[in-house]
Amino acid sequence: MTATVVNGLEVLADEPTEAPMRSRNGSPVLWQQTRTLLLEDGNTVYGCVHCDYTSDNVHSIRPHLNKHRTASAASVAGVDQFGEVTLAEVMRRLADFDEISIEREAWKARATRAERSLSTLRAALRGVAS
Ligand SMILES: [Zn+2]
């Protein structure tokens, strides 16, 4: 549980921390496990999402997160040591999604063709019946 009191000061806000780097499309990257804690005296410190560890130095939180690294999280493919999904995994999921979309388009085309031949068949049958 993230600290709610730091050096006797109450934590007023607990938010993810904006990483020093930006993503490729220029949008900010948020570290969900490194919390930015706003204290009642107006100062901010950084905290761990898993425990009450805090530090004035943002760079000491990520190494600290290793302590919470679990065997199960580390063994899940596509999840990095901080338990966050890696870019490679995101790309793989996107590729899967693309394939599903392509497949769906193919099935839609087949269904449309089948429907058309069915109505041709019905028209032909009607012709025979009359
Ligand atoms: Zn921690």
Side-chain angles (χ1 to χ4, degrees), residues 48-53 64-65 67-68:
C48 169
V49 75
H50 304 288
C51 71
D52 63 0
Y53 176 85
H64 161 85
L65 288 171
K67 285 189 185 170
H68 301 292

Side-chain angles (χ1 to χ4, degrees), residues 17 19 21 23 44 48 55 64 66 75 77 80 83 93 103 106 111 117 127:
T17 300
M21 72 282 200
S23 74
T44 53
C48 169
S55 174
H64 161 85
N66 277 324
S75 67
D80 74 8
R93 289 184 193 179
E103 217 169 294
S117 38

